Amino acid sequence: MRAMKSSIALLAFLATGLAAFPAVSVKVDVGHPGAAVNPAMWGAFFEDINFGADGGLYAELVKNRGFEFPEPLMGWAKMNPSLARGDVSVRTDAPFNAANPHYVRIQSEGTAPLGLSNEGFRGIGLRQGESYEFSVRIRGVAGTPKLSVRLYGGDGTLLDSAELKNFTHDWQQYTATLQPGDTDPKSRLAVLLDGAGTVDLDFVSLFPAHTWKNRAGGLRADLVQALADSHPGFLRFPGGCVVEGSVLARRYQWKKTIGPVEERPLLINRWSYEFLHRPAPDYFQSFGLGFLEYFQLCEDIGAQPLPILNCGMACQFNSGELCPLDALEPYIQDALDLIEFANGPVTSEWGAKRAALGHPAPFNLKLLGVGNEQWGPEYIARYIRFAEALKAKHPEISLISAAGPSPADDNFKFAWEKLRALHADIIDEHCYDKPEWFLDHAHRYDAYDRNGPKVFMGEYAAQSVGVVSVKNRNDFGCALAEAAFMTGLERNADVVRMASYAPLFAHVDAWQWTPDLIWTDNLRTLPTPSYHVQSLFARNRGDQVLPVTLGGLTGEAAKRVYASSTFDTATNEVILKLVNATAQPLTPTIDLTGTRELKPGTLIVLHADNLAEVNSFEAPNLIAPRETPLAPTGPTFNVTLPANSFTIVRLGVVR
Ligand code: AHR
């Protein structure tokens, strides 16, 4: 009798226990797919910030190659050994190209080599075993001196050299191929006049022979590869605030970025002086990465191009200068011409220019941003002018409109109210906030108006400390919060059509803004945990949203466990994304209802022992997705979600 009583008590305890801690369940309704996921849902935001273009993606290794910086010898040092007699001077008379007026004259008595060395972008990254293409414009003035082209390592070791000679009295291009004998991220390039005489030099350039697709004067292969590996569905370019400029005269003007590189006028990069605590006085835009190259890059990596154009407003964090409404026409014409440049037939004016630049086929532009991060009635007034002109001529182009820098303030609400009334296509929302904000707002879009404008989550990134804090780190906690937030974007793929983390690249020795998706130095790339989150979403996109129901979550887990699911109709796979942002592991029962048969698949887990962990050049793969096979025997099975983890279940099914 006593034994029976204690058994009953035990059963009662277990029953209570079970009631208090019900089994955690994740139910995916595979038989009832919902909204279509935009194939271009997960994209990338590129801006020339943090030496993202010059000193980054654009593979030119010489800084200030044309001597056009306001201090014409910035980045250059005179190599003037004590024995050398002569002069190095900057001149502008009879340049090789009027758009590039400054050049250097070296006049030497021949007592010792005399010339200049270039420091590159915080050093020049050279790899042993690779070739580097040197080129320079030279005009021989007097004598028959030679030009010695030398690569020096950071410690002064000569890594390779070449000799140029027989200079004519008119400007000519001379080239040499160099092969450094060592790998060094902090090398220098020297150009030295050897022998008595005088020459004029300009446009001194050094590129790795191995660029992306080995295009001469092209892009850094490892950076493009990292970008391509993240499978962006679109590429937003060229920014960001560089679109706006601190004043209108310094806005981004795409027409000045096409054609011969030596004719693209240099512009100071607004990030060189925006943050006085991170000054970069040597940060300029050469536009070697210009609009043709952006379109080409999109084509190469299968990303839809999304150019953002200035709408007649300078950055509202700076001057906020406005182009008067009755003077907007050239801005609008730039937008119309850009569409023609991208899509027009080769018989059209701008289509012909595209063809003349080597790309007769159109770029299939479908999206265009009107202004970057603008706000207020001034923006709406300008947007209306753009929209009227663009929609009249190009109804096929979806326009992205701005809602300011905050995802919730009065400017944001004002923009939404006005743009909704105007039936705007897609509104660009920006969210930079602490990880907790992203965790708390994963349901932000659940209640959005299904009939209003669509959303482009155009810039977002969790800030470990705070917006524009130099102490922000790309830690795992930020990445996990972004993953949680992204489940909300995916669940609401009918409203949120596109999303991109920002910014994309940052040079470890030359950044202005942190966090960033991919860090680089002169030779390496470092994927952050956030990069892995972005890549995992893009590589596991699916094309139909599947309804997911979470059950049995209590306590912290009720708030901090997130899920979304999609179906990939091409491969007949269910893709389930689960974020466990709690400090406890969870083993939910997964129920794929509506499936008749399951095929073996994979389990992908992104996890770190500590939310503060980061990847580093010393341990670049510390935080990286781990993939294991998964072969459940039926549609109901268990999966363990480690504490603080992002998990993807990917399984083929028959529905
Ligand atoms: O991503 C960095 C900056 O943040 C962008 O240039 C701007 O649009 C935003 O304020």
Side-chain angles (χ1 to χ4, degrees):
M1 184 65 178
R2 195 182 295 148
M4 205 172 140
K5 266 190 186 163
S6 54
S7 301
I8 290 168
L10 180 64
L11 280 174
F13 168 78
L14 281 177
T16 323
L18 284 176
F21 301 104
V24 177
S25 65
V26 179
K27 191 169 163 184
V28 183
D29 194 348
V30 184
H32 293 94
V37 183
N38 179 4
M41 173 81 176
W42 308 112
F45 162 101
F46 180 85
E47 175 167 24
D48 191 3
I49 183 173
N50 305 316
F51 280 40
D54 288 278
L57 200 53
Y58 183 48
E60 172 64 83
L61 296 168
V62 177
K63 184 170 66 188
N64 192 13
R65 62 187 172 190
F67 306 103
E68 297 304 327
F69 284 17
E71 287 176 42
L73 288 183
M74 188 181 254
W76 295 92
K78 286 187 186 169
M79 290 184 81
N80 197 1
S82 51
L83 277 181
R85 270 191 240 116
D87 188 36
V88 177
S89 57
V90 176
R91 304 172 64 107
T92 52
D93 53 306
F96 88 95
N97 191 308
N100 195 325
H102 297 85
Y103 63 89
V104 159
R105 172 162 293 182
I106 308 176
Q107 176 264 315
S108 172
E109 292 182 22
T111 46
L114 174 70
L116 293 168
S117 81
N118 189 275
E119 65 190 22
F121 298 91
R122 310 294 190 268
I124 291 178
L126 298 178
R127 274 198 191 82
Q128 186 179 19
E130 290 202 5
S131 298
Y132 292 83
E133 304 298 352
F134 173 84
S135 64
V136 59
R137 299 299 206 296
I138 299 182
R139 174 170 59 191
V141 179
T144 54
K146 296 168 183 159
L147 189 79
S148 176
V149 182
R150 302 183 191 176
L151 296 175
Y152 288 105
D155 64 358
T157 310
L158 183 65
L159 301 178
D160 198 16
S161 65
E163 201 176 72
L164 303 176
K165 56 189 176 188
N166 300 331
F167 306 127
T168 58
H169 289 301
D170 52 355
W171 287 103
Q172 298 284 348
Q173 189 179 45
Y174 297 81
T175 62
T177 301
L178 294 124
Q179 291 174 322
D182 204 354
T183 296
D184 193 329
K186 296 282 182 187
S187 309
R188 284 178 304 132
L189 166 77
V191 282
L192 297 161
L193 205 60
D194 216 350
T198 304
V199 298
D200 294 334
L201 299 184
D202 204 354
F203 225 69
V204 186
S205 169
L206 183 72
F207 272 88
H210 174 48
T211 55
W212 171 253
K213 292 193 178 284
N214 291 330
R215 292 195 184 107
L219 306 183
R220 226 179 100 171
D222 59 335
L223 267 65
V224 180
Q225 193 61 58
L227 175 61
D229 288 347
S230 69
H231 286 208
F234 65 88
L235 182 69
R236 168 183 173 153
F237 59 86
C241 292
V242 297
V243 169
E244 306 162 46
S246 50
V247 291
L248 284 174
R250 293 196 210 132
R251 71 188 185 278
Y252 196 104
Q253 297 182 59
W254 75 267
K255 289 176 180 168
K256 296 185 175 180
T257 74
I258 59 171
V261 283
E262 61 275 11
E263 289 177 12
R264 302 181 191 180
L266 189 86
L267 184 66
I268 189 162
N269 190 308
R270 49 106 58 212
W271 294 108
S272 71
Y273 53 83
E274 177 67 17
F275 295 143
L276 293 178
H277 54 285
R278 297 285 306 170
D282 57 342
Y283 196 5
F284 285 77
Q285 295 174 272
S286 71
F287 301 111
L289 170 55
F291 260 46
L292 184 82
E293 290 79 15
Y294 280 122
F295 278 116
Q296 178 73 74
L297 174 62
C298 291
E299 185 177 87
D300 289 348
I301 64 175
Q304 274 195 35
L306 168 45
I308 307 283
L309 295 185
N310 189 297
C311 65
M313 299 177 79
C315 183
Q316 290 163 278
F317 289 114
N318 301 144
S319 70
E321 185 187 351
L322 295 172
C323 170
L325 287 175
D326 59 9
L328 259 192
E329 195 276 335
Y331 291 76
I332 294 173
Q333 193 59 47
D334 272 1
L336 291 166
D337 291 343
L338 180 64
I339 296 170
E340 190 172 289
F341 179 69
N343 293 352
V346 295
T347 47
S348 65
E349 181 190 350
W350 286 93
K353 289 190 202 288
R354 182 189 70 240
L357 293 172
H359 202 288
F363 284 114
N364 196 18
L365 179 70
K366 293 179 181 159
L367 301 158
L368 184 65
V370 179
N372 175 44
E373 199 176 54
Q374 325 308 151
W375 66 83
E378 300 81 4
Y379 174 66
I380 299 298
R382 281 155 187 79
Y383 170 78
I384 289 172
R385 299 292 174 97
F386 270 77
E388 277 169 4
L390 292 171
K391 287 291 178 192
K393 202 158 176 202
H394 292 288
E396 74 283 5
I397 301 288
S398 297
L399 298 181
I400 312 280
S401 45
S406 156
D409 68 1
D410 287 346
N411 288 325
F412 176 87
K413 289 175 192 150
F414 173 82
W416 258 96
E417 186 195 319
K418 296 292 175 193
L419 291 167
R420 182 181 284 114
L422 289 166
H423 303 290
D425 297 326
I426 305 175
I427 300 184
D428 181 9
E429 300 192 352
H430 293 184
C431 300
Y432 295 103
D433 214 316
K434 305 269 280 189
E436 292 70 30
W437 185 92
F438 287 89
L439 294 170
D440 290 343
H441 288 81
H443 294 275
R444 171 181 174 91
Y445 296 103
D446 293 357
Y448 255 54
D449 175 7
R450 270 37 215 175
N451 301 312
K454 302 297 180 196
V455 172
F456 170 31
M457 175 45 63
E459 293 184 30
Y460 67 102
Q463 317 282 300
S464 64
V465 177
V467 187
V468 308
S469 166
V470 292
K471 295 191 175 145
N472 283 329
R473 282 156 54 90
N474 278 99
D475 65 26
F476 180 68
C478 288
L480 192 67
E482 288 151 9
F485 186 67
M486 289 167 79
T487 62
L489 306 185
E490 185 168 85
R491 272 186 292 101
N492 291 285
D494 56 330
V495 169
V496 183
R497 301 299 289 158
M498 306 158 72
S500 47
Y501 182 103
L504 181 58
F505 292 117
H507 190 295
V508 286
D509 296 327
W511 56 270
Q512 293 78 48
W513 178 292
T514 181
D516 304 284
L517 203 63
I518 302 171
W519 287 83
T520 70
D521 65 12
N522 287 338
L523 291 175
R524 298 173 294 180
T525 62
L526 176 66
T528 60
S530 295
Y531 170 87
H532 290 304
V533 166
Q534 294 294 318
S535 306
L536 285 170
F537 269 86
R539 287 166 163 270
N540 295 283
R541 175 174 46 78
D543 52 348
Q544 296 174 332
V545 177
L546 294 177
V548 191
T549 316
L550 295 175
L553 292 167
T554 56
E556 195 201 2
K559 268 180 35 195
R560 293 291 188 241
V561 174
Y562 309 83
S564 61
S565 183
T566 55
F567 191 76
D568 188 330
T569 48
T571 59
N572 280 323
E573 285 173 299
V574 171
I575 304 164
L576 172 62
K577 303 186 179 85
L578 294 157
V579 174
N580 176 11
T582 77
Q584 302 301 323
L586 282 173
T587 305
T589 300
I590 314 266
D591 184 2
L592 304 185
T593 63
T595 56
R596 286 188 286 120
E597 193 188 320
L598 252 61
K599 310 239 166 93
T602 38
L603 186 70
I604 308 165
V605 180
L606 188 71
H607 166 68
D609 291 337
N610 186 327
L611 290 176
E613 269 179 13
V614 295
N615 285 340
S616 63
F617 281 116
E618 293 67 43
N621 298 316
L622 181 70
I623 303 163
R626 314 275 178 233
E627 221 172 295
T628 49
L630 181 70
T633 50
T636 305
F637 56 95
N638 292 103
V639 160
T640 294
L641 314 176
N644 289 319
S645 63
F646 171 36
T647 300
I648 299 181
V649 173
R650 188 164 183 140
L651 288 169
V653 300
V654 178
R655 355 186 219 189

PDB file of all heavy atoms in Angstrom, residues 45 47 49 236 240-242 244 271 317 372-373 405 430 432 459 502-503 513, ligand 1:
ATOM      1  N   PHE A  45      25.320  45.354 -49.238  1.00  0.00           N
ATOM      2  CA  PHE A  45      25.376  46.812 -49.302  1.00  0.00           C
ATOM      3  C   PHE A  45      26.839  47.199 -49.440  1.00  0.00           C
ATOM      4  O   PHE A  45      27.641  46.953 -48.542  1.00  0.00           O
ATOM      5  CB  PHE A  45      24.800  47.375 -47.994  1.00  0.00           C
ATOM      6  CG  PHE A  45      25.154  48.816 -47.710  1.00  0.00           C
ATOM      7  CD1 PHE A  45      24.250  49.830 -47.959  1.00  0.00           C
ATOM      8  CD2 PHE A  45      26.376  49.150 -47.157  1.00  0.00           C
ATOM      9  CE1 PHE A  45      24.576  51.150 -47.673  1.00  0.00           C
ATOM     10  CE2 PHE A  45      26.709  50.471 -46.869  1.00  0.00           C
ATOM     11  CZ  PHE A  45      25.804  51.473 -47.132  1.00  0.00           C
ATOM     12  N   GLU A  47      29.675  50.187 -49.921  1.00  0.00           N
ATOM     13  CA  GLU A  47      29.973  51.619 -49.914  1.00  0.00           C
ATOM     14  C   GLU A  47      31.479  51.774 -49.826  1.00  0.00           C
ATOM     15  O   GLU A  47      32.164  50.949 -49.193  1.00  0.00           O
ATOM     16  CB  GLU A  47      29.306  52.291 -48.707  1.00  0.00           C
ATOM     17  CG  GLU A  47      29.694  53.771 -48.589  1.00  0.00           C
ATOM     18  CD  GLU A  47      28.840  54.576 -47.630  1.00  0.00           C
ATOM     19  OE1 GLU A  47      28.247  53.977 -46.720  1.00  0.00           O
ATOM     20  OE2 GLU A  47      28.788  55.810 -47.802  1.00  0.00           O
ATOM     21  N   ILE A  49      33.580  53.018 -47.883  1.00  0.00           N
ATOM     22  CA  ILE A  49      33.828  53.441 -46.506  1.00  0.00           C
ATOM     23  C   ILE A  49      34.848  52.443 -45.983  1.00  0.00           C
ATOM     24  O   ILE A  49      34.952  51.331 -46.519  1.00  0.00           O
ATOM     25  CB  ILE A  49      32.510  53.416 -45.688  1.00  0.00           C
ATOM     26  CG1 ILE A  49      32.696  53.921 -44.250  1.00  0.00           C
ATOM     27  CG2 ILE A  49      31.883  52.037 -45.663  1.00  0.00           C
ATOM     28  CD1 ILE A  49      31.360  54.069 -43.480  1.00  0.00           C
ATOM     29  N   ARG A 236      23.728  46.555 -53.546  1.00  0.00           N
ATOM     30  CA  ARG A 236      23.410  47.983 -53.473  1.00  0.00           C
ATOM     31  C   ARG A 236      24.720  48.749 -53.568  1.00  0.00           C
ATOM     32  O   ARG A 236      25.674  48.448 -52.847  1.00  0.00           O
ATOM     33  CB  ARG A 236      22.710  48.250 -52.140  1.00  0.00           C
ATOM     34  CG  ARG A 236      22.578  49.712 -51.795  1.00  0.00           C
ATOM     35  CD  ARG A 236      21.935  49.843 -50.433  1.00  0.00           C
ATOM     36  NE  ARG A 236      21.961  51.237 -50.019  1.00  0.00           N
ATOM     37  CZ  ARG A 236      21.092  51.772 -49.190  1.00  0.00           C
ATOM     38  NH1 ARG A 236      20.127  51.024 -48.686  1.00  0.00           N
ATOM     39  NH2 ARG A 236      21.179  53.033 -48.850  1.00  0.00           N
ATOM     40  N   GLY A 240      24.803  54.271 -49.242  1.00  0.00           N
ATOM     41  CA  GLY A 240      25.526  55.003 -48.236  1.00  0.00           C
ATOM     42  C   GLY A 240      25.711  56.507 -48.506  1.00  0.00           C
ATOM     43  O   GLY A 240      25.332  57.074 -49.531  1.00  0.00           O
ATOM     44  N   CYS A 241      26.253  57.100 -47.463  1.00  0.00           N
ATOM     45  CA  CYS A 241      26.397  58.557 -47.445  1.00  0.00           C
ATOM     46  C   CYS A 241      27.265  59.092 -48.574  1.00  0.00           C
ATOM     47  O   CYS A 241      27.163  60.280 -48.899  1.00  0.00           O
ATOM     48  CB  CYS A 241      26.941  59.010 -46.098  1.00  0.00           C
ATOM     49  SG  CYS A 241      25.791  58.768 -44.737  1.00  0.00           S
ATOM     50  N   VAL A 242      28.143  58.253 -49.174  1.00  0.00           N
ATOM     51  CA  VAL A 242      28.951  58.806 -50.272  1.00  0.00           C
ATOM     52  C   VAL A 242      28.065  59.217 -51.445  1.00  0.00           C
ATOM     53  O   VAL A 242      28.465  60.047 -52.259  1.00  0.00           O
ATOM     54  CB  VAL A 242      30.063  57.845 -50.773  1.00  0.00           C
ATOM     55  CG1 VAL A 242      31.083  57.530 -49.698  1.00  0.00           C
ATOM     56  CG2 VAL A 242      29.501  56.589 -51.376  1.00  0.00           C
ATOM     57  N   GLU A 244      25.409  60.910 -51.149  1.00  0.00           N
ATOM     58  CA  GLU A 244      24.876  62.246 -50.866  1.00  0.00           C
ATOM     59  C   GLU A 244      25.955  63.325 -50.917  1.00  0.00           C
ATOM     60  O   GLU A 244      25.716  64.421 -51.401  1.00  0.00           O
ATOM     61  CB  GLU A 244      24.230  62.241 -49.481  1.00  0.00           C
ATOM     62  CG  GLU A 244      23.186  61.148 -49.313  1.00  0.00           C
ATOM     63  CD  GLU A 244      22.873  60.873 -47.852  1.00  0.00           C
ATOM     64  OE1 GLU A 244      22.679  61.836 -47.092  1.00  0.00           O
ATOM     65  OE2 GLU A 244      22.831  59.704 -47.468  1.00  0.00           O
ATOM     66  N   TRP A 271      34.175  60.095 -45.981  1.00  0.00           N
ATOM     67  CA  TRP A 271      34.555  59.388 -44.757  1.00  0.00           C
ATOM     68  C   TRP A 271      35.972  59.764 -44.319  1.00  0.00           C
ATOM     69  O   TRP A 271      36.412  59.358 -43.243  1.00  0.00           O
ATOM     70  CB  TRP A 271      34.430  57.879 -44.938  1.00  0.00           C
ATOM     71  CG  TRP A 271      32.998  57.487 -45.139  1.00  0.00           C
ATOM     72  CD1 TRP A 271      32.422  57.061 -46.300  1.00  0.00           C
ATOM     73  CD2 TRP A 271      31.943  57.530 -44.169  1.00  0.00           C
ATOM     74  NE1 TRP A 271      31.079  56.829 -46.118  1.00  0.00           N
ATOM     75  CE2 TRP A 271      30.757  57.112 -44.811  1.00  0.00           C
ATOM     76  CE3 TRP A 271      31.878  57.898 -42.821  1.00  0.00           C
ATOM     77  CZ2 TRP A 271      29.529  57.040 -44.147  1.00  0.00           C
ATOM     78  CZ3 TRP A 271      30.655  57.815 -42.161  1.00  0.00           C
ATOM     79  CH2 TRP A 271      29.503  57.391 -42.827  1.00  0.00           C
ATOM     80  N   PHE A 317      23.151  64.787 -42.195  1.00  0.00           N
ATOM     81  CA  PHE A 317      23.996  64.864 -40.997  1.00  0.00           C
ATOM     82  C   PHE A 317      25.078  65.925 -41.188  1.00  0.00           C
ATOM     83  O   PHE A 317      25.767  66.291 -40.244  1.00  0.00           O
ATOM     84  CB  PHE A 317      24.668  63.513 -40.718  1.00  0.00           C
ATOM     85  CG  PHE A 317      23.715  62.465 -40.224  1.00  0.00           C
ATOM     86  CD1 PHE A 317      23.443  61.339 -40.984  1.00  0.00           C
ATOM     87  CD2 PHE A 317      23.097  62.610 -38.992  1.00  0.00           C
ATOM     88  CE1 PHE A 317      22.568  60.374 -40.518  1.00  0.00           C
ATOM     89  CE2 PHE A 317      22.222  61.646 -38.523  1.00  0.00           C
ATOM     90  CZ  PHE A 317      21.954  60.517 -39.287  1.00  0.00           C
ATOM     91  N   ASN A 372      19.678  58.436 -50.651  1.00  0.00           N
ATOM     92  CA  ASN A 372      20.142  57.425 -49.698  1.00  0.00           C
ATOM     93  C   ASN A 372      19.306  57.493 -48.426  1.00  0.00           C
ATOM     94  O   ASN A 372      18.176  57.025 -48.400  1.00  0.00           O
ATOM     95  CB  ASN A 372      21.636  57.598 -49.415  1.00  0.00           C
ATOM     96  CG  ASN A 372      22.126  56.645 -48.335  1.00  0.00           C
ATOM     97  OD1 ASN A 372      21.766  55.465 -48.369  1.00  0.00           O
ATOM     98  ND2 ASN A 372      22.895  57.113 -47.386  1.00  0.00           N
ATOM     99  N   GLU A 373      19.846  58.077 -47.414  1.00  0.00           N
ATOM    100  CA  GLU A 373      19.184  58.019 -46.103  1.00  0.00           C
ATOM    101  C   GLU A 373      18.495  59.358 -45.821  1.00  0.00           C
ATOM    102  O   GLU A 373      18.708  59.974 -44.789  1.00  0.00           O
ATOM    103  CB  GLU A 373      20.263  57.736 -45.049  1.00  0.00           C
ATOM    104  CG  GLU A 373      19.789  57.205 -43.749  1.00  0.00           C
ATOM    105  CD  GLU A 373      20.976  56.871 -42.843  1.00  0.00           C
ATOM    106  OE1 GLU A 373      21.825  57.755 -42.614  1.00  0.00           O
ATOM    107  OE2 GLU A 373      21.055  55.729 -42.372  1.00  0.00           O
ATOM    108  N   PRO A 405      17.322  57.670 -41.121  1.00  0.00           N
ATOM    109  CA  PRO A 405      18.261  56.750 -40.466  1.00  0.00           C
ATOM    110  C   PRO A 405      17.657  55.924 -39.331  1.00  0.00           C
ATOM    111  O   PRO A 405      18.273  54.975 -38.874  1.00  0.00           O
ATOM    112  CB  PRO A 405      19.324  57.699 -39.904  1.00  0.00           C
ATOM    113  CG  PRO A 405      18.633  59.015 -39.741  1.00  0.00           C
ATOM    114  CD  PRO A 405      17.513  59.071 -40.730  1.00  0.00           C
ATOM    115  N   HIS A 430      16.435  51.605 -42.175  1.00  0.00           N
ATOM    116  CA  HIS A 430      17.785  51.414 -41.634  1.00  0.00           C
ATOM    117  C   HIS A 430      17.723  51.135 -40.134  1.00  0.00           C
ATOM    118  O   HIS A 430      17.068  51.878 -39.402  1.00  0.00           O
ATOM    119  CB  HIS A 430      18.639  52.666 -41.881  1.00  0.00           C
ATOM    120  CG  HIS A 430      18.926  52.907 -43.333  1.00  0.00           C
ATOM    121  ND1 HIS A 430      19.737  53.922 -43.781  1.00  0.00           N
ATOM    122  CD2 HIS A 430      18.521  52.240 -44.439  1.00  0.00           C
ATOM    123  CE1 HIS A 430      19.817  53.872 -45.105  1.00  0.00           C
ATOM    124  NE2 HIS A 430      19.074  52.867 -45.527  1.00  0.00           N
ATOM    125  N   TYR A 432      20.321  50.363 -37.038  1.00  0.00           N
ATOM    126  CA  TYR A 432      21.586  50.127 -36.343  1.00  0.00           C
ATOM    127  C   TYR A 432      21.273  50.251 -34.858  1.00  0.00           C
ATOM    128  O   TYR A 432      20.857  51.329 -34.406  1.00  0.00           O
ATOM    129  CB  TYR A 432      22.629  51.174 -36.726  1.00  0.00           C
ATOM    130  CG  TYR A 432      23.072  51.159 -38.184  1.00  0.00           C
ATOM    131  CD1 TYR A 432      22.600  52.101 -39.092  1.00  0.00           C
ATOM    132  CD2 TYR A 432      23.983  50.209 -38.633  1.00  0.00           C
ATOM    133  CE1 TYR A 432      23.030  52.090 -40.413  1.00  0.00           C
ATOM    134  CE2 TYR A 432      24.410  50.194 -39.954  1.00  0.00           C
ATOM    135  CZ  TYR A 432      23.927  51.137 -40.838  1.00  0.00           C
ATOM    136  OH  TYR A 432      24.349  51.133 -42.143  1.00  0.00           O
ATOM    137  N   GLU A 459      19.820  48.770 -44.588  1.00  0.00           N
ATOM    138  CA  GLU A 459      21.047  48.838 -43.789  1.00  0.00           C
ATOM    139  C   GLU A 459      20.690  48.362 -42.400  1.00  0.00           C
ATOM    140  O   GLU A 459      19.791  48.925 -41.762  1.00  0.00           O
ATOM    141  CB  GLU A 459      21.577  50.277 -43.698  1.00  0.00           C
ATOM    142  CG  GLU A 459      22.063  50.851 -45.004  1.00  0.00           C
ATOM    143  CD  GLU A 459      22.673  52.241 -44.818  1.00  0.00           C
ATOM    144  OE1 GLU A 459      23.234  52.538 -43.749  1.00  0.00           O
ATOM    145  OE2 GLU A 459      22.559  53.043 -45.765  1.00  0.00           O
ATOM    146  N   ALA A 502      25.002  46.235 -43.326  1.00  0.00           N
ATOM    147  CA  ALA A 502      25.879  47.340 -43.725  1.00  0.00           C
ATOM    148  C   ALA A 502      26.809  47.725 -42.572  1.00  0.00           C
ATOM    149  O   ALA A 502      26.413  47.631 -41.413  1.00  0.00           O
ATOM    150  CB  ALA A 502      25.036  48.551 -44.119  1.00  0.00           C
ATOM    151  N   PRO A 503      28.024  48.202 -42.914  1.00  0.00           N
ATOM    152  CA  PRO A 503      28.677  48.169 -44.214  1.00  0.00           C
ATOM    153  C   PRO A 503      29.308  46.797 -44.501  1.00  0.00           C
ATOM    154  O   PRO A 503      29.360  45.945 -43.617  1.00  0.00           O
ATOM    155  CB  PRO A 503      29.770  49.233 -44.114  1.00  0.00           C
ATOM    156  CG  PRO A 503      29.496  50.034 -42.890  1.00  0.00           C
ATOM    157  CD  PRO A 503      28.735  49.107 -41.980  1.00  0.00           C
ATOM    158  N   TRP A 513      34.244  52.983 -39.587  1.00  0.00           N
ATOM    159  CA  TRP A 513      32.961  52.548 -39.021  1.00  0.00           C
ATOM    160  C   TRP A 513      33.071  51.073 -38.667  1.00  0.00           C
ATOM    161  O   TRP A 513      33.564  50.271 -39.468  1.00  0.00           O
ATOM    162  CB  TRP A 513      31.885  52.755 -40.089  1.00  0.00           C
ATOM    163  CG  TRP A 513      30.501  52.341 -39.730  1.00  0.00           C
ATOM    164  CD1 TRP A 513      30.044  51.065 -39.534  1.00  0.00           C
ATOM    165  CD2 TRP A 513      29.369  53.191 -39.563  1.00  0.00           C
ATOM    166  NE1 TRP A 513      28.709  51.073 -39.245  1.00  0.00           N
ATOM    167  CE2 TRP A 513      28.264  52.376 -39.257  1.00  0.00           C
ATOM    168  CE3 TRP A 513      29.180  54.576 -39.646  1.00  0.00           C
ATOM    169  CZ2 TRP A 513      26.988  52.879 -39.035  1.00  0.00           C
ATOM    170  CZ3 TRP A 513      27.910  55.071 -39.435  1.00  0.00           C
ATOM    171  CH2 TRP A 513      26.824  54.241 -39.127  1.00  0.00           C
TER     172      TRP A 513
HETATM  173  O1  AHR B   1      26.654  52.133 -43.266  1.00  0.00           O
HETATM  174  C1  AHR B   1      27.271  53.304 -42.851  1.00  0.00           C
HETATM  175  C2  AHR B   1      26.383  54.516 -43.030  1.00  0.00           C
HETATM  176  O2  AHR B   1      25.259  54.413 -42.222  1.00  0.00           O
HETATM  177  C3  AHR B   1      25.827  54.728 -44.400  1.00  0.00           C
HETATM  178  O3  AHR B   1      26.708  55.374 -45.239  1.00  0.00           O
HETATM  179  C4  AHR B   1      24.631  55.569 -44.145  1.00  0.00           C
HETATM  180  O4  AHR B   1      23.618  55.391 -45.108  1.00  0.00           O
HETATM  181  C5  AHR B   1      24.210  55.194 -42.756  1.00  0.00           C
HETATM  182  O5  AHR B   1      24.035  56.316 -41.970  1.00  0.00           O
END
